[in-house]
Amino acid sequence: MENLRFRAIAETFRHKKIEYQMPTKKPSEYFGEMTFNHSAMKEYLTDESFGKVMSAIEKGTKIEREAANQVASSMKAWAIAKGATHYTHWFHPLTGSTAEKHDSFITPEAGGKAIENFRGNELIQQEPDASSFPHGGIRNTFEARGYTAWDPTSPAFILGNTLCIPTIFVSYTGEALDYKTPVLKSSFALDIAAKAVCKLFNGDINRVFATLGWEQEYFLVDRALFMARPDLVLTGRTLFGHASAKDQQLSDHYFGTIPERVKEFMKEFETEGHKLGIPVKTRHNEVAPNQFECAPVYEEVNIAVDHNQLIMYLMENAARNHNFEILFHEKPFANINGSGKHNNWSLATDKGHNLFAPGKNPKENLRFITFLVNVLMGVNEYQDLIRASISSASNDLRLGGHEAPPAIISVFIGTQLTNLLDKIEASNDKSGLNEELKAGLNINVPNIPEILLDNTDRNRTSPFAFTGNKFEFRAVGSSANCAKPMLVLNTILAKQLSTFKQEYDALIEQGVEFEDAVYQIIKKYIIASKRIRFEGNNYSEEWAIEAEKRGLVNIKTTPGTLKTWVNERIIKLFEDTNVLTKRELEARMMIRYEKFTKKVQIESRVLGDMATNHIIPIAIRYQNTLIENVRGLKEILDLQTYGKVSKNELEIITAISHHISEIKRGVDKMTEQRKQANSLEDEEAKAIAYDEQVRVSAEQIRKHIDKLELMVDDELWPLPKYRELLFVR
Ligand code: ADP
Ligand code: MG
């Protein structure tokens, strides 16, 4: 068959059913077997070294060289026993994916022999030739060195035959060039600040850490069909395609039966994930056809971020093993739901408390309200930064559609908590406030756990929703590295909690007693952060108007959000908490401008090529057969009949000409816009030009292509259509 698309479909059905060989053991028996976890460390390390690693993990102490040598040699023994031949430092450069460079354990010896070797300094640090990683101007070419350094808090693991060691990545001058470094620093800042506040309520807390449970949405597309679409191959999304007659309108995919081939794929990546200690738990069909979700049990944030990156890798591999391609893009198909990555975020203590969960006694409830209100205060103060933390060229296409939260950040807390906060706010003299709340504490507040357990009032439209014992940050994009939004939330809360503590200390100094001091500040915060709370429909137009009145930012696309990172207030936030320096923030901003521009540039070029090389020639070919036909009719029919019969065809011929010339005109215009934009020196101006001109032209071109798709003979149409991409499995 000549048609590329039909060939792809035929290919799809030539596939044999592929089954994944499940291990014969129970998951609990192989869970974590490919990680250098506590039990592996216990087995391979001396008690002393084990103690040192555990102290590094739990208390942040440094591991000296000698101990590192011992850890390296044990790690090597463990990895070789598991079949590893190579090792790599595994890190998260600012490209957004992960990087690795494999080295063999082999070291040559005299006499033509070799031994497997892995020393402490190879574990602790490496110097990858990393001049091609994004650095936003931090590294000049003459100081192009970068270092990776071992993160002992995230367990080493084996992928294939390679021992992977999670590391941070910094420049010669010590600046962070990755996502992990600021996550670790923000966790440190949060621990200090949250612990200090926590100790007001429980004296015995030694550590506070953020927890993250991500929910990863994705699409699966048959691999043969995927390969027949250059836009999917090169940009991860369809740049055009008419809506399928049936897509998600019946909501018959959501939580439906998982198709057999998809289930085999899920079994594979989940099992491989379990071997790597990733606690994957939930799987289900999502709203859109061929859209699915996976979610693990939550973990400490740094590990959860690593595990999300790792699972995305495992999913890509497993998909290919089952002749699928996985799409993590936020909006692979127009007019149907895109994909997000809900980040469920909470705070835990070393004693097992969840600080965002209502407690079992009045004091714990007061602690809960304190943390809750501090989150509201922090989100209110830094809503612009939270918005900036989720922006990307691909997430721009999803936010604000009627499927995902808008670009306005607000917090949903539910009716019960709203009533509680309103009550606190309404008590207008201090003694009255205290009396009511003290009384309330004995009667109402301890009931909160019960009430909240029954609380089914959920707001799926909110970008940042309290869901009983955690906040769910829903605006994060499906392809994003969770590190960015997580480090932002941690940093904001760290700063906010230390402000709270300062205010509290000042009141105590004035002789105010504990509960009164806490209540005074809470009440002030409730009032000050009121505008950030929104319980209504975030998708509605009324909300955009209301939000503007409240002074909340509503920046719809990425270029407009990026300056936020270098705003004085934000630099101060990151410097006060010691998470990122001004130079690092500036560099990151530059990288984001460039990344945005390049992504849109690639999309625009691919669209131009496809329009010119695929669509226009086919439309002309079809138009020619119509013209042939009309000419033939003229030969065989009398003039009057011909006039009647040819009318419809002539209309189609004219319409095709119209769309072809609009496409041609659009592509020329878009190419000119790219040229103009490329000549701009300023990265911000360039990104804005790509956003406001190139992207807009691309959308116009798309409309005409989609119209042609409806007209041209199905057999001639060269590219798989939405109905095939979404329903063939
Ligand atoms: P949903 O109804 O939104 O799908 P789920 O009950 O499936 O919610 O939970 C979603 C995610 O929330 C899971 O990944 C889960 O691990 C995570 N989660 C639950 N409790 C916490 C917590 N304390 N901290 C962080 N994440 C949590
Ligand atoms: Mg959820």
Side-chain angles (χ1 to χ4, degrees):
M1 224 179 289
E2 197 205 344
N3 183 311
L4 183 62
R5 166 169 159 247
F6 289 168
R7 213 161 59 203
I9 294 169
E11 183 64 30
T12 296
F13 290 104
R14 256 203 301 280
H15 294 147
K16 288 197 283 291
K17 196 172 156 204
I18 305 163
E19 278 182 38
Y20 175 65
Q21 281 306 326
M22 288 291 285
T24 45
K25 295 184 279 187
K26 283 188 295 193
S28 58
E29 288 168 333
Y30 56 77
F31 188 85
E33 70 176 13
M34 297 312 253
T35 63
F36 199 52
N37 58 14
H38 291 189
S39 65
M41 284 198 285
K42 264 224 157 101
E43 191 184 332
Y44 281 82
L45 292 174
T46 61
D47 286 350
E48 198 193 344
S49 304
F50 180 71
K52 283 185 176 153
V53 176
M54 289 313 290
S55 158
I57 295 173
E58 283 162 7
K59 303 199 185 96
T61 52
K62 291 217 184 298
I63 300 175
E64 320 100 56
R65 291 270 153 168
E66 205 174 308
N69 274 328
Q70 220 261 311
V71 176
S73 132
S74 312
M75 210 187 258
K76 179 195 71 183
W78 168 80
I80 289 175
K82 298 264 179 202
T85 54
H86 287 66
Y87 67 92
T88 181
H89 278 195
W90 182 82
F91 55 102
H92 307 215
L94 296 168
T95 49
S97 45
T98 54
E100 47 199 84
K101 177 184 141 241
H102 300 204
D103 281 309
S104 166
F105 287 126
I106 280 289
T107 312
E109 287 213 307
K113 303 199 78 160
I115 53 160
E116 276 87 14
N117 212 347
F118 185 52
R119 287 185 311 271
N121 54 355
E122 289 161 323
L123 166 67
I124 289 184
Q125 107 183 31
Q126 268 190 11
E127 196 191 318
D129 176 16
S131 42
S132 297
F133 288 113
H135 54 80
I138 276 184
R139 283 180 303 129
N140 299 322
T141 34
F142 61 83
E143 54 176 40
R145 278 188 285 179
Y147 293 101
T148 52
W150 177 35
D151 167 19
T153 66
S154 183
F157 55 91
I158 297 174
L159 262 189
N161 296 318
T162 303
L163 167 67
C164 301
I165 298 148
T167 57
I168 59 164
F169 180 42
V170 295
S171 73
Y172 182 59
T173 42
E175 275 112 351
L177 294 171
D178 68 342
Y179 283 112
K180 192 190 261 287
T181 306
V183 168
L184 291 172
K185 285 183 164 178
S186 73
S187 295
F188 185 70
L190 183 60
D191 179 25
I192 306 271
K195 207 158 48 192
V197 173
C198 225
K199 277 186 187 292
L200 305 177
F201 304 91
N202 317 63
D204 62 341
I205 303 295
N206 297 313
R207 193 164 98 89
V208 176
F209 54 95
T211 52
L212 163 64
W214 39 262
E215 300 165 58
Q216 178 73 55
E217 293 180 342
Y218 59 95
F219 279 87
L220 287 174
V221 172
D222 179 84
R223 191 160 157 76
L225 299 176
F226 171 92
M227 288 302 174
R229 294 267 326 205
D231 48 356
L232 282 178
V233 174
L234 295 178
T235 73
R237 73 165 173 123
T238 57
L239 297 173
F240 52 82
H242 196 277
S244 169
K246 172 185 188 289
D247 46 44
Q248 65 186 42
Q249 62 272 62
L250 300 176
S251 293
D252 51 353
H253 193 252
Y254 192 55
F255 281 26
T257 313
I258 300 171
E260 207 44 46
R261 187 165 141 216
V262 176
K263 214 186 293 169
E264 289 299 318
F265 147 79
M266 288 175 170
K267 270 202 292 206
E268 174 166 343
F269 83 76
E270 288 171 358
T271 307
E272 294 302 309
H274 288 160
K275 289 181 191 166
L276 290 171
I278 307 173
V280 185
K281 197 170 174 73
T282 309
R283 45 158 102 139
H284 62 79
N285 287 5
E286 259 304 327
V287 173
N290 273 359
Q291 191 188 28
F292 307 91
E293 179 182 301
C294 110
V297 177
Y298 65 93
E299 300 175 278
E300 194 275 317
V301 64
N302 175 43
I303 294 178
V305 170
D306 281 359
H307 280 171
N308 180 246
Q309 288 297 108
L310 201 47
I311 203 89
M312 288 167 82
Y313 171 83
L314 296 178
M315 290 167 94
E316 272 168 3
N317 267 349
R320 283 175 199 149
N321 289 343
H322 297 270
N323 288 315
F324 284 123
E325 276 290 329
I326 190 161
L327 308 180
F328 288 120
H329 195 288
E330 282 78 359
K331 193 76 181 172
F333 305 98
N335 301 317
I336 61 169
N337 281 14
S339 302
K341 172 145 58 197
H342 299 175
N343 280 209
N344 295 274
W345 173 71
S346 191
L347 287 195
T349 72
D350 62 330
K351 296 293 183 298
H353 311 101
N354 175 348
L355 298 176
F356 292 163
K360 295 186 188 70
N361 54 54
K363 205 157 195 185
E364 287 190 357
N365 274 323
L366 185 56
R367 181 189 70 199
F368 160 65
I369 295 164
T370 302
F371 277 91
L372 176 85
V373 171
N374 270 289
V375 171
L376 292 175
M377 195 63 182
V379 175
N380 180 57
E381 173 69 20
Y382 297 105
Q383 36 122 10
D384 51 347
L385 177 63
I386 294 174
R387 163 67 185 101
S389 77
I390 46 141
S391 67
S392 71
S394 48
N395 209 20
D396 285 355
L397 302 170
R398 164 182 170 261
L399 294 180
H402 279 221
E403 53 176 292
I408 310 161
I409 299 298
S410 67
V411 188
F412 168 86
I413 57 170
T415 322
Q416 306 292 340
L417 286 175
T418 302
N419 291 345
L420 182 70
L421 298 195
D422 286 350
K423 215 162 147 189
I424 298 173
E425 188 192 336
S427 355
N428 38 16
D429 82 319
K430 193 177 142 248
S431 59
L433 164 78
N434 278 338
E435 215 167 278
E436 185 179 334
L437 282 171
K438 271 182 187 157
L441 270 178
N442 294 327
I443 305 158
N444 296 329
V445 184
N447 288 336
I448 287 179
E450 239 173 83
I451 297 165
L452 283 176
L453 286 180
D454 294 332
N455 181 1
T456 49
D457 89 324
R458 286 214 158 193
N459 186 333
R460 296 260 161 213
T461 69
S462 174
F464 200 87
F466 184 71
T467 52
N469 59 4
K470 61 192 192 288
F471 282 93
E472 185 171 347
F473 190 13
R474 297 211 185 90
V476 183
S478 50
S479 70
N481 187 318
C482 305
K484 198 169 27 158
M486 286 295 110
L487 78 90
V488 161
L489 292 181
N490 287 351
T491 304
I492 290 172
L493 190 56
K495 168 85 179 173
Q496 177 53 46
L497 288 170
S498 67
T499 307
F500 172 85
K501 182 64 171 40
Q502 281 163 15
E503 293 189 39
Y504 171 86
D505 288 345
L507 287 175
I508 295 296
E509 206 140 289
Q510 291 164 27
V512 182
E513 87 170 271
F514 166 69
E515 276 192 2
D516 289 341
V518 173
Y519 282 133
Q520 270 186 39
I521 309 170
I522 285 177
K523 180 175 175 177
K524 189 176 87 178
Y525 283 3
I526 290 172
I527 296 166
S529 66
K530 207 169 175 190
R531 65 165 187 172
I532 204 70
R533 284 195 269 140
F534 182 61
E535 302 285 308
N537 179 6
N538 285 257
Y539 298 171
S540 70
E541 275 168 37
E542 293 77 27
W543 170 230
I545 297 164
E546 166 69 18
E548 195 181 345
K549 281 195 207 132
R550 295 189 191 185
L552 299 176
V553 297
N554 183 8
I555 306 170
K556 298 217 166 61
T557 57
T558 300
T561 67
L562 296 182
K563 264 221 192 100
T564 312
W565 293 95
V566 297
N567 156 332
E568 286 300 318
R569 190 171 42 92
I570 302 303
I571 293 173
K572 183 160 165 31
L573 165 73
F574 281 111
E575 293 199 332
D576 285 354
T577 46
N578 200 19
V579 173
L580 286 163
T581 63
K582 183 174 183 209
R583 198 157 119 97
E584 287 168 330
L585 287 163
E586 282 168 355
R588 273 156 208 259
M589 179 187 70
M590 290 318 284
I591 291 169
R592 288 175 190 132
Y593 277 127
E594 279 177 42
K595 192 167 169 185
F596 179 88
T597 297
K598 284 179 183 158
K599 289 256 173 179
V600 181
Q601 184 179 54
I602 292 169
E603 286 184 352
S604 162
R605 286 178 178 162
V606 173
L607 178 66
D609 286 353
M610 289 175 82
T612 312
N613 303 329
H614 287 79
I615 305 303
I616 293 180
I618 292 296
I620 291 175
R621 204 191 305 172
Y622 178 57
Q623 196 185 33
N624 280 341
T625 48
L626 294 178
I627 293 169
E628 269 311 298
N629 183 262
V630 174
R631 221 184 258 132
L633 291 176
K634 195 168 189 177
E635 273 171 27
I636 60 167
L637 298 175
D638 65 80
L639 211 57
Q640 200 186 3
T641 326
Y642 167 75
K644 271 191 211 145
V645 171
S646 64
K647 192 168 159 281
N648 289 333
E649 274 177 78
L650 288 172
E651 265 172 24
I652 301 176
I653 291 168
T654 322
I656 290 176
S657 284
H658 166 71
H659 294 305
I660 289 174
S661 70
E662 285 301 306
I663 290 169
K664 168 85 173 57
R665 212 170 54 88
V667 171
D668 289 346
K669 180 170 155 204
M670 184 171 71
T671 310
E672 189 50 40
Q673 286 169 332
R674 280 209 308 269
K675 258 191 217 153
Q676 298 276 338
N678 294 345
S679 70
L680 297 171
E681 289 284 322
D682 181 60
E683 291 296 339
E684 184 190 5
K686 197 186 285 187
I688 290 174
Y690 267 94
D691 190 31
E692 293 179 356
Q693 297 174 30
V694 177
R695 264 209 159 153
V696 171
S697 294
E699 271 316 294
Q700 283 160 359
I701 297 167
R702 179 206 178 112
K703 285 204 181 90
H704 294 285
I705 297 180
D706 290 353
K707 283 272 174 353
L708 281 178
E709 186 186 315
L710 290 182
M711 295 179 171
V712 171
D713 181 356
D714 185 64
E715 260 184 72
L716 289 180
W717 196 255
L719 301 157
K721 297 182 171 179
Y722 271 25
R723 62 171 186 247
E724 292 145 2
L725 296 169
L726 290 168
F727 287 95
V728 175
R729 57 176 87 107

